[in-house]
Amino acid sequence: MRYIIIFILFNKLIFSKTDYENKKITTMLQNYCISIKNFPEVLGIHIYENKQGKILQLDIEYNDDSDIITAMEAMSKTIQYSKTHFDKFIVITHYPEFELPIGYESDVKCALNYFIKNKISEKYWKKDCLKEGVLNRKIDNWAPINK
Protein backbone atom coordinates (compact mmCIF):
# COMPACT_ATOMS: atom_id res chain seq x y z
CA MET A 1 0.00 0.00 0.00
CA ARG A 2 2.80 2.37 0.91
CA TYR A 3 4.52 1.81 -2.46
CA ILE A 4 1.31 2.55 -4.35
CA ILE A 5 0.90 5.90 -2.57
CA ILE A 6 4.55 6.80 -3.26
CA PHE A 7 4.14 5.81 -6.91
CA ILE A 8 1.00 7.95 -7.30
CA LEU A 9 2.64 10.98 -5.64
CA PHE A 10 5.74 10.59 -7.80
CA ASN A 11 3.62 10.49 -11.00
CA LYS A 12 1.68 13.60 -9.93
CA LEU A 13 4.94 15.43 -9.32
CA ILE A 14 6.35 14.51 -12.74
CA PHE A 15 3.19 15.44 -14.67
CA SER A 16 2.63 18.70 -12.78
CA LYS A 17 6.22 19.75 -13.61
CA THR A 18 5.51 19.16 -17.32
CA ASP A 19 2.32 21.24 -17.13
CA TYR A 20 4.22 24.03 -15.35
CA GLU A 21 6.96 24.03 -18.01
CA ASN A 22 4.33 24.16 -20.80
CA LYS A 23 2.51 27.06 -19.14
CA LYS A 24 5.81 28.88 -18.66
CA ILE A 25 6.66 28.46 -22.36
CA THR A 26 3.22 29.67 -23.51
CA THR A 27 3.45 32.71 -21.21
CA MET A 28 6.97 33.56 -22.39
CA LEU A 29 5.95 33.21 -26.05
CA GLN A 30 2.84 35.35 -25.51
CA ASN A 31 4.90 38.07 -23.81
CA TYR A 32 7.60 37.95 -26.49
CA CYS A 33 4.99 38.30 -29.25
CA ILE A 34 3.44 41.30 -27.48
CA SER A 35 6.86 42.96 -27.28
CA ILE A 36 7.40 42.78 -31.07
CA LYS A 37 6.22 45.90 -32.86
CA ASN A 38 3.39 45.22 -35.35
CA PHE A 39 3.17 41.55 -34.42
CA PRO A 40 -0.20 40.12 -35.45
CA GLU A 41 -2.81 39.22 -32.88
CA VAL A 42 -2.05 35.91 -31.17
CA LEU A 43 -5.15 33.71 -31.31
CA GLY A 44 -3.71 30.74 -29.47
CA ILE A 45 -0.61 28.88 -28.34
CA HIS A 46 -0.74 25.11 -28.11
CA ILE A 47 1.72 22.45 -26.99
CA TYR A 48 0.96 18.84 -27.82
CA GLU A 49 2.50 15.57 -28.93
CA ASN A 50 1.77 13.43 -31.96
CA LYS A 51 3.65 10.74 -33.90
CA GLN A 52 6.20 13.35 -35.05
CA GLY A 53 7.09 14.38 -31.50
CA LYS A 54 6.41 17.46 -29.37
CA ILE A 55 4.84 20.36 -31.26
CA LEU A 56 4.68 24.07 -30.45
CA GLN A 57 1.84 25.70 -32.39
CA LEU A 58 1.16 29.43 -32.68
CA ASP A 59 -2.14 30.65 -34.16
CA ILE A 60 -2.05 34.23 -35.46
CA GLU A 61 -4.23 36.67 -37.36
CA TYR A 62 -2.70 37.18 -40.82
CA ASN A 63 -1.42 40.66 -41.76
CA ASP A 64 1.29 39.93 -44.34
CA ASP A 65 3.77 37.20 -45.35
CA SER A 66 6.48 38.44 -43.00
CA ASP A 67 4.25 37.43 -40.06
CA ILE A 68 5.06 33.76 -40.66
CA ILE A 69 8.81 34.33 -40.45
CA THR A 70 8.43 36.62 -37.44
CA ALA A 71 6.28 34.01 -35.67
CA MET A 72 8.81 31.23 -36.35
CA GLU A 73 11.58 33.49 -35.06
CA ALA A 74 9.58 34.27 -31.90
CA MET A 75 9.10 30.57 -31.21
CA SER A 76 12.81 29.88 -31.82
CA LYS A 77 13.90 32.64 -29.46
CA THR A 78 11.42 31.54 -26.80
CA ILE A 79 12.39 27.87 -26.64
CA GLN A 80 16.12 28.10 -27.26
CA TYR A 81 16.86 27.72 -23.53
CA SER A 82 13.87 25.54 -22.68
CA LYS A 83 14.33 22.24 -20.89
CA THR A 84 11.45 20.87 -22.95
CA HIS A 85 12.52 19.31 -26.24
CA PHE A 86 10.37 20.29 -29.22
CA ASP A 87 10.44 18.64 -32.63
CA LYS A 88 8.23 20.90 -34.78
CA PHE A 89 6.97 24.46 -34.92
CA ILE A 90 3.62 25.10 -36.55
CA VAL A 91 2.25 28.56 -37.36
CA ILE A 92 -1.43 28.71 -38.27
CA THR A 93 -2.39 31.93 -40.05
CA HIS A 94 -6.04 32.90 -39.88
CA TYR A 95 -7.21 35.12 -42.72
CA PRO A 96 -10.17 37.45 -42.09
CA GLU A 97 -11.61 36.92 -45.59
CA PHE A 98 -11.13 33.12 -45.79
CA GLU A 99 -12.80 30.43 -43.75
CA LEU A 100 -9.88 28.01 -43.73
CA PRO A 101 -6.56 28.96 -42.12
CA ILE A 102 -3.22 28.04 -43.67
CA GLY A 103 -0.52 26.24 -41.73
CA TYR A 104 3.26 26.42 -41.92
CA GLU A 105 5.63 23.91 -40.35
CA SER A 106 9.33 23.91 -39.61
CA ASP A 107 11.62 21.43 -37.93
CA VAL A 108 12.84 22.99 -34.66
CA LYS A 109 16.49 22.09 -35.20
CA CYS A 110 16.42 23.69 -38.64
CA ALA A 111 14.66 26.83 -37.33
CA LEU A 112 17.20 27.21 -34.52
CA ASN A 113 20.04 26.84 -37.03
CA TYR A 114 18.60 29.74 -39.03
CA PHE A 115 17.17 32.12 -36.42
CA ILE A 116 19.52 31.57 -33.47
CA LYS A 117 22.80 30.03 -34.65
CA ASN A 118 22.90 31.61 -38.15
CA LYS A 119 24.27 28.35 -39.58
CA ILE A 120 21.97 28.32 -42.61
CA SER A 121 20.65 31.01 -44.93
CA GLU A 122 17.09 32.27 -45.15
CA LYS A 123 16.86 30.87 -48.67
CA TYR A 124 17.90 27.39 -47.46
CA TRP A 125 15.50 27.57 -44.49
CA LYS A 126 12.56 28.56 -46.70
CA LYS A 127 13.38 25.94 -49.34
CA ASP A 128 14.28 22.94 -47.19
CA CYS A 129 12.73 23.56 -43.76
CA LEU A 130 9.53 25.58 -44.15
CA LYS A 131 6.51 23.63 -45.34
CA GLU A 132 3.13 25.11 -46.21
CA GLY A 133 -0.27 23.48 -45.99
CA VAL A 134 0.16 21.26 -42.93
CA LEU A 135 -3.56 21.55 -42.18
CA ASN A 136 -4.31 19.01 -44.89
CA ARG A 137 -2.69 16.32 -42.72
CA LYS A 138 -4.74 13.87 -40.73
CA ILE A 139 -4.79 14.94 -37.07
CA ASP A 140 -6.67 12.11 -35.39
CA ASN A 141 -4.26 11.42 -32.56
CA TRP A 142 -3.12 14.90 -31.53
CA ALA A 143 -3.41 15.39 -27.81
CA PRO A 144 -3.68 19.11 -27.03
CA ILE A 145 -2.21 20.70 -23.94
CA ASN A 146 -3.77 24.10 -24.40
CA LYS A 147 -3.05 27.29 -22.58
Side-chain angles (χ1 to χ4, degrees):
M1 181 69 170
R2 186 173 148 198
Y3 293 112
I4 293 172
I5 293 172
I6 291 171
F7 178 75
I8 292 170
L9 291 174
F10 183 71
N11 279 339
K12 282 190 160 277
L13 178 67
I14 288 173
F15 290 116
S16 66
K17 187 174 181 179
T18 302
D19 288 341
Y20 173 74
E21 178 74 17
N22 290 340
K23 287 177 183 169
K24 192 164 76 170
I25 290 168
T26 57
T27 301
M28 287 171 46
L29 182 55
Q30 178 74 35
N31 291 337
Y32 187 76
C33 292
I34 290 169
S35 73
I36 299 172
K37 186 178 180 183
N38 297 325
F39 195 85
E41 180 183 354
V42 174
L43 303 174
I45 299 169
H46 309 280
I47 297 173
Y48 54 89
E49 290 188 48
N50 67 12
K51 291 178 182 177
Q52 294 181 319
K54 193 143 188 173
I55 312 293
L56 177 59
Q57 176 181 314
L58 179 61
D59 289 61
I60 59 172
E61 187 75 35
Y62 178 83
N63 292 330
D64 62 45
D65 288 340
S66 67
D67 293 343
I68 297 140
I69 294 171
T70 306
M72 290 281 185
E73 182 178 14
M75 289 192 289
S76 297
K77 288 184 176 180
T78 300
I79 66 107
Q80 68 178 318
Y81 302 114
S82 172
K83 293 177 185 175
T84 302
H85 171 77
F86 288 95
D87 298 293
K88 298 279 181 195
F89 289 148
I90 295 179
V91 174
I92 309 289
T93 55
H94 297 264
Y95 297 83
E97 63 273 359
F98 298 120
E99 290 183 22
L100 290 176
I102 296 178
Y104 300 87
E105 176 184 293
S106 177
D107 181 70
V108 169
K109 187 181 272 187
C110 199
L112 291 174
N113 281 335
Y114 171 59
F115 292 111
I116 306 302
K117 299 175 183 174
N118 297 317
K119 288 185 176 181
I120 60 174
S121 67
E122 180 178 355
K123 182 178 179 180
Y124 178 86
W125 178 74
K126 284 182 178 179
K127 181 177 178 263
D128 291 346
C129 301
L130 186 63
K131 297 171 186 77
E132 182 180 346
V134 295
L135 295 180
N136 297 332
R137 186 178 314 147
K138 214 174 173 191
I139 57 171
D140 294 337
N141 60 353
W142 288 9
I145 305 171
N146 297 326
K147 135 179 153 170

